[in-house]
Amino acid sequence: MYQNSSESTGAGGAGLTGLLRPHVAGFSAVLVLQVVGAVAGLAPLLAVVELGRVLLRTGPVDHGRVWAVVAVGAAGLLVRLLLTAASAGIGHALDDRVQLAFRRRLAAHLGRVPLGWFSRRRTGELAKVVGEDVSAVHPVIAHAPGELVSAFAVPLVSLVYLVAVDWRLTLVTLAPVALAVALVPLMMTPSRLREQEEFDAAMGRIASAVVEFVQGIAVVKAFGGAGRAHRRFRTAVDGFVDAFLRWVRGISGIAAGMQLALSPPFVLLVVLTGGTALITHGAMAPADLLPFLLLGLGLTAPVAALGHGFDDLQAARRALGRIRDVLDVPPLPEPVRPVAPRGHRVELRGVRFGYGTGSDTGSDTGSDTGSDTGSDTGSDTGSDTGSEVLRGIDLVLEPGTLTAVVGPSGGGKSTLVALLPRFFDPTGGSVLLGGVDLREIDARELHRTVSFVFQDVRLLRASVAENIALAVPHADPDDVVRAARAARIHDRVVRMPRGYESVIGVDAGLSGGEAQRISIARALLADAPVLVLDEATAFADPWTERAVRRVLAPSADRTVLVIAHRLETVADADTVVVLEDGVVAERGSPDELLARDGRFAALWRSHRSALVDESREDVTR
Amino acid sequence: MIRLLLRVLGHEHARPVRRTVALMTVTAVVEGLSYALLVPLLRALLGGAPADAWPWVSAFGAAVAGYAVLRYLSDLAGFRVGTTLLRGAYDRLGDHLARLPVGWYDEGRVGEVSVLAGRGVMQAMSVIAHLLAPFVSAAVTPLTIVAVMLAVDWRMGLAAAAAAPVVAAIQVWAGRATAAADAARADRDRESTGRVVEYLQAQPVLRAGGRTAERFGLLDDSLREVQRASRRSTLSALPGALGLALTVQVLFTALLVLGAHLALGGAIGAPEVLAVLVLAARCADPLLSLAEIGGRLRGARSALVGLDAVLRAEPLPQVPDPVRPDRHDLEFDRATFGHGDRTVIEGLSLTVPDGQRLAVVGPSGAGKSTLLHLLARFHDVTSGAVRMGGVDVRAMSTEDLAARIAIVFQHVYLFDGTIEENVRLGRPDADDAALRAAATAARLDEVVERLPDGWATNVGEGGALLSGGERQRVSIARALLKDAPVVLLDEVTSALDPVNEVAVHEGIERLVAGRTVVMVTHRPRTARHADRVVFLDGGRIVESGGHDELLRGGGPYSEYWEIAMAPSAE
């Protein structure tokens, strides 16, 4: 899977076909079994016809022939039963396998697209692509070919037979089918299609109104906003009902006409009228009417199948479109011949970055992740999406130094630090590690070298040990415990029902501060030479704060880049970078910058007077 | 099934549903009866008197016309009832969701309810609009045809009738057999959706850890589980479908054999036998479609069961005649609250006099936020009481309580709309001057000025297009505009950078002036400005008093700040 991802870059469709290729033989078998089974199903009907011919013949009845006919009919039924059962069984087994392959493929691809792409997508919608949309596609791949082919093969066989019996009555029998087909274009007029689209859109609005209603429930309750959220919800529902009724009104007459034309009573009526006319005029033997009564109804099958499968087919086509959209997103390119970095010096050269550029069309603007986290990398851009967030950054992080980034919100801090673990590639300039462009470095090598402590802590619903050892899957349990101790979470873990094996969210819930300490333990265990850290929520409690400080403690072999939120951190830094409007406004050691009396000095003073002095006084008093 | 449907939808919708089902049944019976006319018709045509067939053809034509009208009407009735029910179900669900305690909405619930309300309701309604008519027709038409057969020839009719209980038994049995597998599959699906969401949301962490899909076993395991469950559910449905097909085919074969035997024995005329066999062919198709329709109905049923479960969740009880307190002092009286099997708040007693500020300090997991939640009645206490102005919050109306409290959360949720809409949520009827004043006080004005669309800037789903600090300013402006006598603050500034924090602090100071305030904090400065501080640990008050007094006391509180402020050398 890893290899074929690069060749299918930008060609999701080709990738999907590739997934199906190994199963072609299986699908063909399903198809053949289904068609043969369906055709065999004609045998009992033909047996009735033959029975009629034998019985209605003047003169003595040939008993042997009667029983032979009955036997053939019964055998046909048996064959049909066996073959359809076999095709259903094999078909489903294949289905499941194909679905799994699709889902794995999607997951693998999503693990490689630039992270910036995620911040513009709703997580729920993406999860729907992997889940529901794949499920919606499968009947089309697995069943539709067989159903469609039998829907045409069986009537075709019947048609040949019926024409041989009486071509005039065959034409009469086809009249309802022709009528139904004539109605089809009426269902596809632009206004009908527009109504269908409105209907889909209205359905989508309900879903998002619900999500908003539920996710914002605390605010809704606290602000008596229930009315508003509720209203929005109701408006969406009313809109949907209206769209639905419009759609039904537009389509019901035609649909009813079509259904009636294909309904057994109507077809029988047509056949009997034509048959009676032919028989009374002596143009046809009465026994010849029987095949039309029995097989004639089957001629409607193709149209009925098309009509019946049409909704599913449409839904599947849309689902497939969404799957392709995801697979078509170009992944962050992987180097063909990775270069190993020499040393851990990090250098940014003329780095520019804009979220609006690149692969992202940015059609929808929203992000699940932003709703319950602090500010994530995507939201740092604020509302000025499309413009550049970083406009030419030059920066060197020497090994063993602590560099603090400060500056107003929206200045590009989160984006800057996200470039180091290569969540994004810069749109201009380059980021180098050990003299090598990040784009030239093997992903695993990069992840071993750069670790990241997030402002937005994500713990997995997995054991504490697994969560801590996320970046070091085969970590020694002792090392895990050591990291947990250093991050001051060990005592809490030991108190959990199953200790380090407790599953987070199942065996034990963690507070924000505790979750953060887990993520700090994670970084400590990874022990990467370059550490990127965002201090934002690092104040959940004193213990967490201490753990953070431990990570930040100067160390000869660790390079640290931190978005600083505390003056202590800033004061300890070797270099302070003031980032404003995507450019470095000031840089230097804290003392230099204070002496310069520029922006940093102003920031320092306002912050100091506002917060720190008093608290220092308090404790030291 | 229908009963479950009606329970979910509310019984006021019972009549239209019943009427529609009745109409569908009549349509199916008419279809079946119209086939009875085939018997004399075929007798005339095949029996050597084709001219006699014409009146029967006309009669059949009339019957088909009647059937056409009925069918159109019942289709329309199906659609109409479907939409009425859709609206009804959404109204019910919406009302109910608004009444459920906030505490009910844990992380899993949000996803579950979103799926249910988005797709579940729709699926349930499609039962009526799309599946009910085919189902009724597939079950009723063959039965009517069997009755017709009985009238034509009792022996063949009886043979056909014998199949009816078998078909019914198979349907019931198949339903039971698949129910368990389907439920297991639904569980796996949900589990896997959760994993996918987790995988997507944790992308930064996973990538930083070098865990792409191939190496993230949790996701792959759950995807494989989905495959296994799906296979099991398919296998469990197979015997039912095969059994049905087998029964129908055995029936047809039996009729073929019996008809041949009777005709050869001369017990019945050839035209009659052939007519019965034509009728039998008319039975077979709808019966075979029963399996598929049954499967889809069961799919809708699981959505109904889910909806039913949500609608049965207990909302917070409301008193018939709520009391309105006339002061705003707050009181916890031996309040105990447990969540699951964990006691979060244990026998806690506490008072906050009207207009005073209480700071709540303590380690993570001490129950600080829960204290605020109990005041706002996101949950009800397990025992003891929480009072406002001497009135138990449970004796107040929800609207009244909500109107008296302004809350600022650590994590701000904004609605997908403009900044103005989100601020106005605090007081929808506020005039522009009040809105501007609140924005200025919260220092939101400078944010609004910076944004290209100003007040009309869209904040995105959950407020994602604003930064954390910007979101927090919106939420403070919202609270300021609300102008409520009680203010609850939950670690408001913990996620902010220094610049934002200074701004937000100023807003907070204006917000709390002259009100009764409970604030959860981790900043000594904030605690110092409170009239009183309580130090919470393990759901109990460990220490309480003035900030300075507690610091001097050298107890857990001073120890706490000691750790927080100690130099980093370790």
Side-chain angles (χ1 to χ4, degrees):
Chain A
M1 241 182 202
Y2 212 81
Q3 292 90 339
N4 70 20
S5 69
S6 47
E7 83 198 19
S8 68
T9 299
L16 289 183
T17 329
L19 288 180
L20 292 177
R21 204 167 298 133
H23 303 293
V24 167
F27 282 123
S28 314
V30 170
L31 189 88
V32 170
L33 288 174
Q34 204 165 2
V35 172
V36 174
V39 173
L42 288 176
L45 297 179
L46 291 174
V48 176
V49 172
E50 274 314 298
L51 185 67
R53 291 229 168 88
V54 176
L55 291 178
L56 292 174
R57 200 172 293 152
T58 42
V61 176
D62 178 351
H63 282 229
R65 186 163 170 76
V66 165
W67 291 120
V69 163
V70 169
V72 168
L77 276 177
L78 189 68
V79 169
R80 176 184 171 178
L81 182 70
L82 291 178
L83 294 191
T84 40
S87 89
I90 299 173
H92 277 291
L94 277 179
D95 257 16
D96 293 340
R97 229 171 295 155
V98 169
Q99 285 191 44
L100 180 63
F102 265 57
R103 296 202 165 109
R104 280 180 167 162
R105 176 62 200 277
L106 278 168
H109 191 79
L110 286 169
R112 271 191 285 274
V113 301
L115 279 184
W117 185 79
F118 284 103
S119 62
R120 314 283 165 83
R121 296 284 177 301
R122 291 183 167 89
T123 315
E125 281 172 14
L126 287 177
K128 185 171 162 283
V129 172
V130 179
E132 278 176 48
D133 283 348
V134 171
S135 301
V137 167
H138 91 105
V140 175
I141 296 167
H143 305 287
E147 272 164 23
L148 272 182
V149 172
S150 8
F152 284 94
V154 174
L156 206 66
V157 173
S158 311
L159 195 64
V160 170
Y161 179 79
L162 292 179
V163 169
V165 173
D166 190 294
W167 65 270
R168 292 156 304 183
L169 195 54
T170 308
L171 284 184
V172 172
T173 311
L174 283 174
V177 178
L179 186 63
V181 170
L183 288 172
V184 170
L186 293 181
M187 295 178 81
M188 311 288 275
T189 57
S191 61
R192 292 291 94 79
L193 291 178
R194 203 177 49 241
E195 281 160 9
Q196 171 77 40
E197 272 164 27
E198 281 169 17
F199 174 77
D200 287 343
M203 205 147 150
R205 275 195 295 276
I206 289 195
S208 55
V210 168
V211 169
E212 182 175 287
F213 188 32
V214 175
Q215 290 195 332
I217 193 78
V219 179
V220 163
K221 291 247 176 183
F223 285 91
R228 183 192 174 276
H230 212 155
R231 204 162 49 240
R232 189 156 173 150
F233 183 64
R234 276 185 194 217
T235 315
V237 172
D238 288 346
F240 174 80
V241 169
D242 290 344
F244 182 71
L245 282 178
R246 243 195 328 276
W247 181 68
V248 166
R249 242 197 312 276
I251 215 143
S252 68
I254 307 159
M258 218 171 130
Q259 297 220 337
L260 181 68
L262 299 175
S263 73
F266 184 75
V267 178
L268 283 177
L269 178 64
V270 171
V271 170
L272 284 168
T273 310
T276 309
L278 285 171
I279 295 172
T280 46
H281 287 89
M284 192 177 81
D288 285 344
L289 179 62
L290 278 176
F292 290 92
L293 292 179
L294 292 162
L295 299 181
L297 284 168
L299 295 185
T300 61
V303 188
L306 283 181
H308 175 72
F310 194 66
D311 287 348
D312 280 356
L313 213 67
Q314 287 287 321
R317 211 169 48 86
R318 286 192 295 269
L320 195 64
R322 285 189 292 267
I323 292 174
R324 285 194 174 179
D325 285 347
V326 171
L327 291 181
D328 279 343
V329 177
L332 280 179
E334 287 286 312
V336 185
R337 264 184 297 277
V339 182
R342 270 175 313 217
H344 305 120
R345 188 170 185 269
V346 177
E347 192 180 343
L348 282 77
R349 284 192 196 149
V351 166
R352 311 183 79 88
F353 187 82
Y355 281 99
T357 52
S359 61
D360 194 356
T361 51
S363 55
D364 54 32
T365 50
S367 143
D368 257 355
T369 48
S371 60
D372 50 354
T373 65
S375 63
D376 58 331
T377 44
S379 59
D380 196 60
T381 57
S383 53
D384 50 352
T385 37
S387 60
E388 280 200 316
V389 185
L390 298 178
R391 303 183 291 137
I393 305 278
D394 291 297
L395 184 65
V396 176
L397 311 180
E398 294 292 348
T401 61
L402 171 62
T403 305
V405 183
V406 296
S409 133
K413 292 173 297 188
S414 303
T415 309
L416 178 71
V417 299
L419 293 175
L420 260 59
R422 208 178 164 213
F423 290 167
F424 310 94
D425 281 337
T427 39
S430 56
V431 182
L432 291 90
L433 172 67
V436 181
D437 192 308
L438 294 189
R439 285 168 282 210
E440 304 282 307
I441 300 173
D442 178 68
R444 294 199 187 164
E445 174 74 31
L446 178 66
H447 291 139
R448 267 196 293 274
T449 314
V450 179
S451 90
F452 203 117
V453 175
F454 296 92
Q455 166 183 14
D456 155 26
V457 181
R458 284 281 167 206
L459 295 186
L460 306 177
R461 196 157 43 83
S463 74
V464 174
E466 280 176 280
N467 267 289
I468 293 178
L470 193 72
V472 193
H474 302 293
D476 189 320
D478 293 341
D479 291 341
V480 172
V481 173
R482 204 168 305 129
R485 278 188 199 279
R488 303 194 155 265
I489 189 67
H490 174 73
D491 293 344
R492 171 77 178 92
V493 176
V494 176
R495 283 203 310 274
M496 290 180 188
R498 299 199 287 138
Y500 279 89
E501 290 313 307
S502 309
V503 175
I504 292 171
V506 177
D507 295 327
L510 291 179
S511 72
E514 290 163 347
Q516 257 181 342
R517 277 177 265 159
I518 298 265
S519 88
I520 292 164
R522 204 182 258 169
L524 285 172
L525 182 66
D527 196 27
V530 179
L531 175 68
V532 180
L533 187 128
D534 188 337
E535 267 193 334
T537 49
F539 295 119
D541 52 54
W543 293 279
T544 309
E545 202 164 333
R546 263 197 145 176
V548 171
R549 262 183 277 156
R550 188 185 182 103
V551 176
L552 287 175
S555 143
D557 49 358
R558 192 183 289 147
T559 311
V560 181
L561 177 64
V562 59
I563 298 183
H565 284 215
R566 303 176 319 135
L567 291 186
E568 291 89 333
T569 310
V570 177
D572 287 346
D574 298 299
T575 312
V576 176
V577 175
V578 181
L579 205 61
E580 229 174 66
D581 287 334
V583 293
V584 176
E586 283 183 333
R587 85 172 81 202
S589 73
D591 294 340
E592 278 169 32
L593 290 183
L594 277 177
R596 199 179 297 168
D597 200 22
R599 290 172 205 278
F600 174 74
L603 202 68
W604 175 274
R605 276 194 299 270
S606 78
H607 191 58
R608 196 173 175 81
S609 63
L611 300 170
V612 171
D613 285 349
E614 293 179 50
S615 58
R616 285 279 190 206
E617 274 167 33
D618 287 343
V619 236
T620 48
R621 193 181 288 169
Chain B
M1 176 89 190
I2 300 270
R3 211 174 308 134
L4 179 65
L5 183 69
L6 292 178
R7 193 165 70 220
V8 167
L9 298 168
H11 283 272
E12 66 270 26
H13 296 299
R15 275 175 59 118
V17 174
R18 290 219 178 89
R19 227 174 8 229
T20 304
V21 171
L23 190 59
M24 288 168 177
T25 310
V26 170
T27 308
V29 169
V30 168
E31 183 186 349
L33 286 179
S34 75
Y35 294 138
L37 294 166
L38 292 180
V39 178
L41 210 167
L42 286 181
R43 191 185 290 136
L45 282 178
L46 303 178
D52 295 350
W54 280 119
W56 295 114
V57 171
S58 315
F60 186 55
V64 171
Y67 159 76
V69 171
L70 278 172
R71 171 145 182 193
Y72 183 63
L73 289 179
S74 75
D75 279 0
L76 274 192
F79 283 131
R80 200 161 302 131
V81 165
T83 52
T84 312
L85 297 187
L86 191 70
R87 215 187 289 244
Y90 272 124
D91 283 354
R92 254 178 87 99
L93 188 67
D95 286 340
H96 194 77
L97 288 179
R99 277 165 57 218
L100 285 172
V102 176
W104 183 80
Y105 293 92
D106 57 26
E107 218 167 288
R109 288 268 166 70
V110 171
E112 195 182 319
V113 169
S114 306
V115 170
L116 259 185
R119 205 160 47 95
V121 174
M122 210 69 77
Q123 204 175 17
M125 295 315 109
S126 77
V127 174
I128 301 259
H130 293 298
L131 292 179
L132 208 53
F135 183 74
V136 169
S137 154
V140 174
T141 305
L143 275 179
T144 317
I145 293 178
V146 168
V148 171
M149 286 183 187
L150 270 172
V152 176
D153 181 87
W154 64 270
R155 287 153 298 200
M156 290 180 81
L158 218 55
V166 179
V167 169
I170 287 178
Q171 277 296 96
V172 172
W173 174 74
R176 289 213 191 110
T178 49
D182 283 350
R185 181 184 173 164
D187 280 349
R188 289 291 93 75
D189 277 348
R190 211 172 311 129
E191 152 103 23
S192 136
T193 305
R195 281 292 180 206
V196 172
V197 168
E198 176 183 273
Y199 172 72
L200 295 174
Q201 292 186 336
Q203 271 301 308
V205 179
L206 290 172
R207 285 190 195 190
R211 296 283 193 106
T212 39
E214 294 86 351
R215 304 212 299 143
F216 186 44
L218 292 173
L219 175 68
D220 204 57
D221 289 348
S222 80
L223 290 181
R224 247 178 317 163
E225 277 301 316
V226 167
Q227 187 208 2
R228 267 187 226 122
S230 160
R231 194 168 53 214
R232 272 194 296 272
S233 115
T234 307
L235 285 180
S236 72
L238 217 50
L242 283 182
L244 191 66
L246 187 67
T247 313
V248 172
Q249 298 186 354
V250 165
L251 166 67
F252 195 82
T253 313
L255 286 178
L256 194 61
V257 172
L258 185 63
H261 174 74
L262 289 174
L264 291 178
I268 175 174
E272 281 81 7
V273 168
L274 294 173
V276 168
L277 286 175
V278 168
L279 290 181
R282 284 295 82 236
C283 271
D285 287 345
L287 281 180
L288 286 176
S289 69
L290 264 182
E292 195 206 332
I293 297 172
R296 296 175 80 155
L297 275 175
R298 280 194 292 277
R301 189 193 157 89
S302 66
L304 279 182
V305 170
L307 278 175
D308 191 42
V310 170
L311 289 176
R312 280 169 173 227
E314 287 289 324
L316 288 178
Q318 299 289 326
V319 284
D321 32 23
V323 186
R324 295 178 57 89
D326 46 14
R327 352 180 274 275
H328 295 102
D329 54 300
L330 304 171
E331 183 188 3
F332 285 83
D333 183 6
R334 278 163 294 155
T336 295
F337 172 72
H339 196 69
D341 48 5
R342 207 164 73 96
T343 307
V344 186
I345 298 289
E346 209 174 340
L348 185 141
S349 293
L350 175 69
T351 53
V352 187
D354 208 336
Q356 288 214 356
R357 294 186 198 180
L358 174 77
V360 182
V361 181
S364 312
K368 303 184 298 269
S369 299
T370 310
L371 220 56
L372 301 187
H373 292 174
L374 290 175
L375 279 168
R377 211 180 166 211
F378 287 0
H379 313 270
D380 276 342
V381 287
T382 324
S383 69
V386 177
R387 300 193 185 95
M388 178 186 285
V391 179
D392 193 315
V393 290
R394 285 169 294 189
M396 297 172 66
S397 78
T398 345
E399 295 77 25
D400 187 30
L401 182 67
R404 289 164 193 259
I405 295 179
I407 311 184
V408 181
F409 300 95
Q410 179 182 357
H411 294 308
V412 182
Y413 188 90
L414 300 182
F415 287 105
D416 194 354
T418 65
I419 290 190
E420 175 163 355
E421 282 171 351
N422 272 288
V423 174
R424 274 192 190 277
L425 201 61
R427 183 151 50 96
D429 57 349
D431 57 23
D432 279 357
L435 188 74
R436 304 280 179 262
T440 311
R443 301 226 354 219
L444 179 64
D445 50 349
E446 52 189 59
V447 175
V448 170
E449 261 165 44
R450 202 171 57 230
L451 295 171
D453 294 330
W455 283 99
T457 303
N458 198 288
V459 302
E461 187 187 275
L465 296 179
L466 298 184
S467 77
E470 291 165 343
R471 280 203 291 266
Q472 195 57 276
R473 292 189 208 188
V474 172
S475 93
I476 289 167
R478 185 162 70 186
L480 276 165
L481 189 64
K482 184 169 180 179
D483 197 19
V486 176
V487 175
L488 308 179
L489 304 172
D490 193 354
E491 303 205 33
V492 174
T493 54
S494 68
L496 302 180
D497 57 77
V499 179
N500 271 301
E501 187 177 338
V502 173
V504 165
H505 253 288
E506 289 175 9
I508 295 283
E509 279 306 318
R510 298 197 176 96
L511 175 62
V512 299
R515 300 173 211 273
T516 310
V517 181
V518 180
M519 49 195 174
V520 171
T521 183
H522 50 83
R523 296 278 205 230
R525 171 174 185 254
T526 322
R528 199 179 108 111
H529 283 256
D531 296 297
R532 198 157 78 99
V533 177
V534 294
F535 188 77
L536 213 64
D537 198 0
R540 299 163 188 267
I541 296 176
V542 181
E543 255 189 322
S544 83
H547 174 76
D548 296 341
E549 170 196 340
L550 288 182
L551 273 188
R552 277 193 298 273
Y557 183 75
S558 65
E559 202 179 304
Y560 179 87
W561 292 129
E562 207 73 49
I563 296 172
M565 293 302 145
S568 54
E570 224 179 284

